């Protein structure tokens, strides 16, 4: 480093070491920054800089939570393709025909109303026909189908039983009964009826065996038996290959089995053929295709898929949450926050969206709002990601720690670890809280546990680097930061913190390169420009250092430290008037700025010496 600057700082005594590390080397937010032990001890505990710890937002996790098979509706057999033409009068006047004893009329009216999806009126017409001919099986079949359509499953089973008492070998009715039993969660009975329908293989009418294979797939799917579901869906597709509904369910099961490429192919096929959607619609295919892209960490493609889904359906809170997940991964944080807000607007107690909102607010430094969101998540509907409520407790700990409530933060995060002892992020956040408490060795043990549980957790590697830097183990810190980069971490704070460790290790040229990476990612990142200027001063490259400090003062014109070092670079370049102006600005902002005061004295002394004969 330039001897003049070292001399200035040496005159400042112990405070000079703080200047070297804190004023010259700034790298941003708490656990992602470098701060000396001396600095921390000088700060009141509750007035620490509001700097969030490094979190692992849900969007960085390539596994999206299981939203449950109930998001994919059960199929009800489609209406008949052609219906007999009923006699007049019009169906709307049926209430005035209670006395009409024309069986064919009521049957035809029932079928017409089913075709119009006016199921309650259709049920009334069917019941009227049954009164006239209670032993006519076909009208009982129609009644069963209507009861399925209006989700009156218990009554549908009773109606089917009336038919099967007289005709046990009736595949269509057994298929209906299987559908109703499956919807009620009576899976063993449902599977028995589906198997019997396929074994009998007669009297299918408008439905086909493909529907039964599909229902068998649903039964397996609802029980989490995804491979068995895939096998039965394949049977259905062999009989009916152009069925979008079956393909979407196949896509869902591939997603659950962590086979994203096959999931994408199935959903793409469903959208391509665009046929036989049943009770679902194309937005479901786009959504699950997006989930598969999330598993591949292809967040741009995931966002595109979710956009297509939202263009068809903006009332699905799980879809908005998924969009927030993708946008967070793309670092489009304000858009992600809006997506989570939309999800919560549609489902105010949606725990998954609330906890993701909490985590994002922590990343944005809005800790009080984050605390509120995590509290709401814990009181919500209990719909979580794979780690359950542990995610909310851990993020609550982050929010509390950043507000100086370290005891409460420890309790919250320990609750997360008790709930999920193998949750890497909870151990990572435990390290953050311990770092706030200045217990660096314990913090190092916690972050080591996080890395042991998930060696690819890039933020844990970044935190390890930060903790090691706090222990002044700079070479090890650099290695940890390098691992964070290798594991896919790429943010300005990481590169800026790395530049600090490199500077401390006297690797000044590498420190400049690291700081440049920070400002490439974010040209308005103050700490990156500030650190770059500091490393360039160490290399005595004052011209480039001046440019870096000019950028720093552009971004934070109220920062006295940046103005002071800008003045130092100008002085070294011989631009004395500009140096005086920069130093004057620094002292206007902070009359006690030590570097500016020392430089001002030196410039005045030099000027006086030049005037003396």
């Amino acid at each position: 480093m330039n001897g003049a600057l070292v001399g200035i700082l040496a005159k400042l005594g112990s405070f000079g070491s703080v200047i070297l590390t804190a004023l010259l080397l700034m790298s941003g937010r708490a656990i992602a920054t470098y701060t000396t032990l001396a600095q921390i001890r000088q700060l009141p505990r509750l007035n620490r800089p509001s700097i969030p710890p490094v979190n692992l937002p849900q969007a960085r996790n390539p596994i999206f939570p299981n939203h449950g098979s109930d998001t994919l509706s059960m199929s009800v057999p489609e209406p008949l393709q052609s219906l007999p033409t009923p006699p007049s009068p019009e169906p709307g006047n049926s209430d005035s025909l209670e006395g009409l004893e024309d069986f064919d009329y009521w049957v035809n009216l029932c079928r017409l109303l089913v075709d119009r999806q006016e199921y309650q009126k259709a049920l009334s017409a069917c019941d009227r026909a049954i009164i006239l001919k209670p032993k006519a099986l076909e009208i009982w079949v129609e009644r069963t189908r209507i009861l399925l359509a209006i989700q009156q499953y218990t009554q549908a089973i009773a109606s089917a039983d009336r038919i099967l008492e007289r005709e046990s070998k009736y595949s269509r009715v057994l298929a209906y009964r299987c559908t109703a039993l499956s919807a009620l969660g009576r899976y063993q009975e449902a599977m028995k009826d589906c198997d019997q329908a396929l074994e009998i293989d007669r009297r299918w009418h408008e439905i086909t065996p493909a529907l039964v294979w599909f229902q068998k797939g649903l039964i397996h799917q609802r029980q989490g038996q995804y491979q068995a579901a895939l096998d039965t869906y394949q049977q259905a597709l062999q009989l009916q290959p152009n069925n979008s509904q079956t393909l979407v369910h196949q896509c869902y099961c591939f997603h659950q089995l962590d086979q994203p490429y096959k999931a994408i192919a199935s959903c793409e096929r469903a959208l391509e053929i665009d046929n036989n959607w049943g009770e679902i619609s194309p937005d479901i295919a786009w959504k699950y295709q997006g989930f598969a892209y999330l598993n591949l960490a292809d967040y741009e493609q995931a966002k595109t898929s979710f956009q297509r889904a939202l263009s068809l359906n903006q009332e699905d809170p799980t879809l908005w949450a998924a969009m927030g997940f993708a946008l967070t991964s793309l670092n489009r944080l304000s858009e992600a926050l809006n997506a989570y807000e939309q999800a919560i607007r549609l489902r105010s107690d949606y725990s998954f969206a609330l906890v993701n909102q909490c985590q994002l607010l922590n990343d944005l430094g809005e800790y009080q709002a984050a605390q509120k969101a995590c509290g709401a998540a814990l009181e919500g509907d209990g719909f979580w990601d794979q780690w359950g409520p542990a995610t909310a407790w851990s993020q609550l700990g982050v929010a509390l720690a950043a507000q100086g409530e370290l005891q409460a933060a420890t309790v919250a995060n320990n609750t997360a670890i008790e709930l999920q002892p193998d949750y890497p992020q909870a151990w990572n956040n435990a390290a953050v809280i311990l770092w706030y408490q200045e217990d660096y060795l314990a913090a190092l043990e916690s972050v080591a546990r996080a890395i042991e549980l998930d060696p690819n957790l890039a933020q844990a590697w970044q935190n390890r680097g930060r903790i090691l830097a706090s222990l002044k183990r700079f070479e090890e810190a650099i290695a940890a930061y390098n691992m964070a980069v290798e594991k896919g971490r790429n943010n300005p704070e990481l590169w800026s913190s790395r530049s600090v460790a490199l500077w401390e290790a006297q690797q000044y040229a590498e420190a400049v390169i690291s700081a440049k990476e920070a400002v490439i990612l974010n040209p308005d990142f103050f700490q990156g420009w500030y650190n770059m200027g500091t490393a360039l001063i160490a290399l005595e490259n004052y011209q480039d250092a001046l440019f870096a400090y000019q950028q720093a003062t552009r971004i934070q014109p109220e920062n006295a430290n940046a103005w002071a070092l800008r003045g130092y670079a100008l002085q070294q370049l011989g631009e004395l008037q500009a140096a005086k102006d920069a130093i004057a600005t620094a002292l206007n902002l902070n009359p006690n700025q030590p570097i500016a005061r020392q430089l001002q004295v030196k410039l005045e002394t030099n000027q006086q010496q030049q005037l003396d004969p």
Side-chain angles (χ1 to χ4, degrees):
M1 172 176 272
N2 179 270
L5 183 55
V6 172
I8 292 171
L9 294 170
K11 293 177 183 179
L12 299 176
S14 62
F15 190 60
S17 65
V18 179
I19 299 296
L20 279 169
T21 53
L23 299 183
L24 293 181
L25 289 170
M26 302 178 65
S27 63
R29 305 185 300 170
I31 197 78
T33 70
Y34 177 73
T35 309
T36 65
L37 181 63
Q39 271 188 299
I40 291 174
R41 286 176 176 164
Q42 289 172 5
L43 291 169
R45 186 171 299 277
L46 294 179
N47 292 324
R48 270 204 191 122
S50 293
I51 323 174
V54 171
N55 285 310
L56 179 62
Q58 295 298 332
R60 269 80 167 177
N61 182 348
I63 301 174
F64 199 80
N66 176 0
H67 277 274
S69 59
D70 59 345
T71 57
L72 293 174
S73 303
M74 181 191 68
S75 172
V76 175
E78 297 179 6
L80 296 173
Q81 297 301 310
S82 59
L83 296 171
T85 303
S88 58
E90 285 296 310
N93 297 325
S94 61
D95 291 342
S96 64
L97 298 170
E98 287 297 318
L100 183 63
E101 297 186 359
D102 185 337
F103 174 79
D104 291 336
Y105 169 76
W106 292 112
V107 170
N108 290 337
L109 178 59
C110 172
R111 289 172 173 167
L112 177 61
L113 290 166
V114 167
D115 193 30
R116 294 183 179 183
Q117 298 184 11
E118 297 180 32
Y119 295 118
Q120 289 294 344
K121 290 182 178 181
L123 185 61
S124 297
C126 275
D127 287 344
R128 186 65 185 169
I130 287 170
I131 290 172
L132 295 171
K133 289 187 178 182
K135 294 184 179 181
L137 292 186
E138 286 308 309
I139 195 61
W140 279 100
V141 172
E142 203 67 47
R143 185 176 188 272
T144 305
R145 179 175 134 193
I146 294 166
L147 289 166
L148 278 177
I150 59 178
Q151 300 181 10
Q152 294 185 15
Y153 301 119
T154 301
Q155 293 185 46
I157 293 167
S159 185
D161 288 344
R162 291 290 296 270
I163 303 165
L164 294 170
E165 286 172 3
R166 297 180 55 197
E167 177 56 78
S168 60
K169 296 183 178 182
Y170 204 145
S171 292
R172 178 187 182 188
V173 176
L174 286 164
Y176 286 170
R177 196 172 188 276
C178 169
T179 299
L181 287 165
S182 174
L184 292 173
R186 295 162 61 179
Y187 299 125
Q188 188 173 357
E189 298 170 77
M191 190 66 80
K192 181 180 177 181
D193 279 355
C194 276
D195 287 340
Q196 190 176 352
L198 291 169
E199 182 182 349
I200 293 168
D201 195 23
R202 60 188 290 266
R203 300 191 72 174
W204 291 102
H205 297 277
E206 86 282 359
I207 67 172
T208 69
L211 173 66
V212 177
W213 284 107
F214 173 75
Q215 289 297 334
K216 287 185 65 174
L218 277 182
I219 293 167
H220 286 304
Q221 180 179 312
R222 290 194 171 110
Q223 296 178 91
Q225 301 166 355
Y226 299 116
Q227 187 57 56
L230 284 173
D231 294 341
T232 50
Y233 287 144
Q234 190 57 41
Q235 292 286 340
L237 289 168
Q238 287 178 1
L239 296 170
Q240 196 177 65
N242 294 329
N243 189 296
S244 292
Q245 180 174 224
T246 304
L247 285 162
V248 171
H249 282 266
Q250 184 185 62
C251 168
Y252 174 83
C253 290
F254 279 131
H255 165 66
Q256 293 299 329
L257 291 171
D258 198 22
Q259 299 181 42
Y261 291 107
K262 291 182 178 180
I264 290 166
S266 292
C267 276
E268 282 183 348
R269 176 64 179 154
L271 292 162
E272 178 186 348
I273 62 176
D274 194 21
N275 185 42
N276 293 328
W277 288 99
E279 291 298 304
I280 65 173
S281 60
D283 64 282
I284 299 293
W286 286 113
K287 179 168 75 170
Y288 279 99
Q289 185 185 76
F291 287 175
Y293 279 122
L294 285 180
N295 276 10
L296 292 170
D298 190 342
Y299 303 118
E300 192 62 48
Q301 284 290 346
K303 176 181 72 69
T304 300
S305 294
F306 295 142
Q307 283 176 331
R308 293 295 300 270
L310 285 167
S311 70
L312 299 171
N313 178 12
Q314 295 197 4
E315 301 302 313
D316 180 354
T318 66
L319 185 52
W320 280 108
M323 176 61 90
F325 194 91
L327 289 167
T328 303
S329 296
L330 293 169
N331 207 35
R332 295 166 64 167
L333 303 186
S334 60
E335 295 173 74
L337 195 58
N338 178 67
Y340 288 130
E341 287 170 354
Q342 291 294 329
I344 295 163
R345 176 185 61 82
L346 293 165
R347 190 161 134 193
S348 60
D349 63 346
Y350 188 10
S351 292
F352 176 75
L354 285 160
V355 76
N356 275 275
Q357 182 189 51
C358 168
Q359 192 153 358
L360 184 52
L361 289 166
N362 271 335
D363 286 343
L364 293 170
E366 299 181 27
Y367 303 116
Q368 289 185 347
Q371 181 179 342
K372 181 179 178 181
C374 270
L378 289 166
E379 295 176 356
D381 60 7
F383 193 93
W384 305 101
D385 66 359
Q386 67 192 60
W387 299 111
T391 307
W393 282 110
S394 186
Q395 288 303 312
L396 179 60
V398 171
L400 290 166
Q403 295 176 79
E405 303 294 338
L406 298 181
Q407 184 176 358
T410 300
V411 171
N413 200 70
N414 285 348
T415 302
I417 292 173
E418 289 171 7
L419 290 170
Q420 294 284 355
D422 294 333
Y423 180 24
Q425 187 57 48
W427 287 102
N428 182 55
N429 288 344
V432 171
I433 296 166
L434 289 164
W435 181 88
Y436 273 111
Q437 294 172 319
E438 304 168 22
D439 191 347
Y440 301 128
L441 292 177
L444 201 57
E445 291 179 5
S446 289
V447 82
R449 177 60 176 154
I451 291 170
E452 179 187 356
L453 291 167
D454 184 0
N456 295 314
L457 186 56
Q459 284 143 319
W461 285 106
Q462 182 174 345
N463 281 351
R464 176 176 169 81
R466 175 63 190 89
I467 296 163
L468 288 164
S470 296
L471 290 167
K472 301 186 184 303
R473 291 159 59 176
F474 299 112
E475 293 291 348
E476 293 176 78
I478 294 166
Y481 289 137
N482 290 344
M483 284 298 294
V485 173
E486 182 180 320
K487 300 300 181 182
R489 190 79 172 150
N490 191 29
N491 60 55
E493 292 85 356
L494 168 60
W495 289 105
S496 187
S497 293
R498 184 174 179 271
S499 74
V500 173
L502 287 162
W503 186 91
E504 289 284 5
Q506 299 183 14
Q507 299 179 36
Y508 303 124
E510 287 296 318
V512 171
I513 293 170
S514 195
K516 281 183 178 178
E517 290 291 337
V519 299
I520 287 170
L521 289 170
N522 181 2
D524 291 327
F525 185 52
F526 170 81
Q527 287 84 1
W529 288 110
Y530 193 106
N531 286 1
M532 187 190 304
T534 301
L536 287 164
I537 282 179
L539 293 170
E540 300 186 13
N541 183 347
Y542 302 114
Q543 192 65 56
D544 289 345
L546 174 60
F547 176 76
Y549 287 125
Q550 285 171 336
Q551 296 302 310
T553 53
R554 171 185 63 81
I555 297 164
Q556 286 191 15
E558 75 290 349
N559 191 291
N561 302 328
W563 279 106
L565 290 169
R566 176 173 171 172
Y568 177 78
L570 286 163
Q571 183 226 5
Q572 293 299 311
L573 291 168
E575 300 182 31
L576 300 183
Q577 186 56 53
K580 290 179 181 179
D581 293 341
I583 292 165
T585 301
L587 291 171
N588 284 335
L589 292 166
N590 179 7
N592 296 316
Q593 211 293 327
I595 295 176
R597 292 179 66 181
Q598 291 289 334
L599 287 172
Q600 185 183 53
V601 170
K602 181 175 181 179
L603 287 171
E604 290 174 352
T605 300
N606 289 343
Q607 185 178 13
Q608 186 61 44
Q609 288 174 352
Q610 291 174 3
L611 292 174
D612 290 342

